[in-house]
């Protein structure tokens, strides 16, 4: 079943996570953003733009899982592009989203 059709500017999905409300967060590689999707309706309900396009993954963390950590890539970018994208390859912390993540599951080995 198709959950969500990415808009042209969102580019391609990469890493993702689920928040405490059951909503899906998707890192949009080459889209410079993380989007929040309601899996029940299939609609995008939130967009967080970041200062570099190659967004690779996202997860919640911090003491109460209210902070989102987002990774980005710089591999494959030439020197000219890297000069235009000084934040490529950095890790970002986003606060104030109004939603929390859930603790990770641990499995016995």
């Amino acid at each position: 079943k198709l959950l969500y059709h990415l808009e042209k500017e969102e580019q391609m999905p990469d890493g993702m996570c689920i928040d405490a409300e059951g909503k899906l967060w998707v890192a949009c590689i080459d889209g410079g953003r993380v989007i929040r999707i309601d899996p029940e309706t299939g609609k995008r309900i939130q967009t967080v733009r970041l200062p570099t396009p190659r967004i690779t993954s996202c997860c919640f963390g911090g003491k109460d899982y209210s902070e989102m950590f987002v990774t980005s890539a710089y591999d494959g970018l030439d020197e000219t592009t890297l000069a235009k994208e000084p934040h490529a390859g950095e890790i970002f912390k986003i606060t104030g989203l109004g939603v929390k993540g859930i603790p990770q599951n641990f499995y016995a080995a």
Side-chain angles (χ1 to χ4, degrees), residues 1-80:
K1 174 183 166 188
L2 177 66
L3 175 67
Y4 176 78
H5 181 76
L6 287 156
E7 301 292 329
K8 183 179 178 183
E9 70 275 4
E10 294 166 343
Q11 295 291 323
M12 214 167 81
D14 205 347
M16 55 192 76
C17 64
I18 300 288
D19 65 30
E21 297 174 5
K23 307 301 189 251
L24 177 67
W25 290 84
V26 181
C28 298
I29 193 158
D30 294 326
R33 65 195 73 204
V34 175
I35 58 173
R36 185 180 188 217
I37 299 168
D38 184 333
E40 297 296 319
T41 65
K43 298 201 182 295
R44 181 186 62 224
I45 53 178
Q46 195 168 355
T47 300
V48 178
R49 288 185 172 77
L50 293 136
T52 191
R54 305 216 61 206
I55 304 305
T56 55
S57 194
C58 55
C59 68
F60 285 94
K63 287 191 295 187
D64 62 354
Y65 298 95
S66 64
E67 300 169 334
M68 177 178 276
F69 296 90
V70 178
T71 58
S72 66
Y74 69 89
D75 57 318
L77 300 178
D78 59 32
E79 287 185 32
T80 304

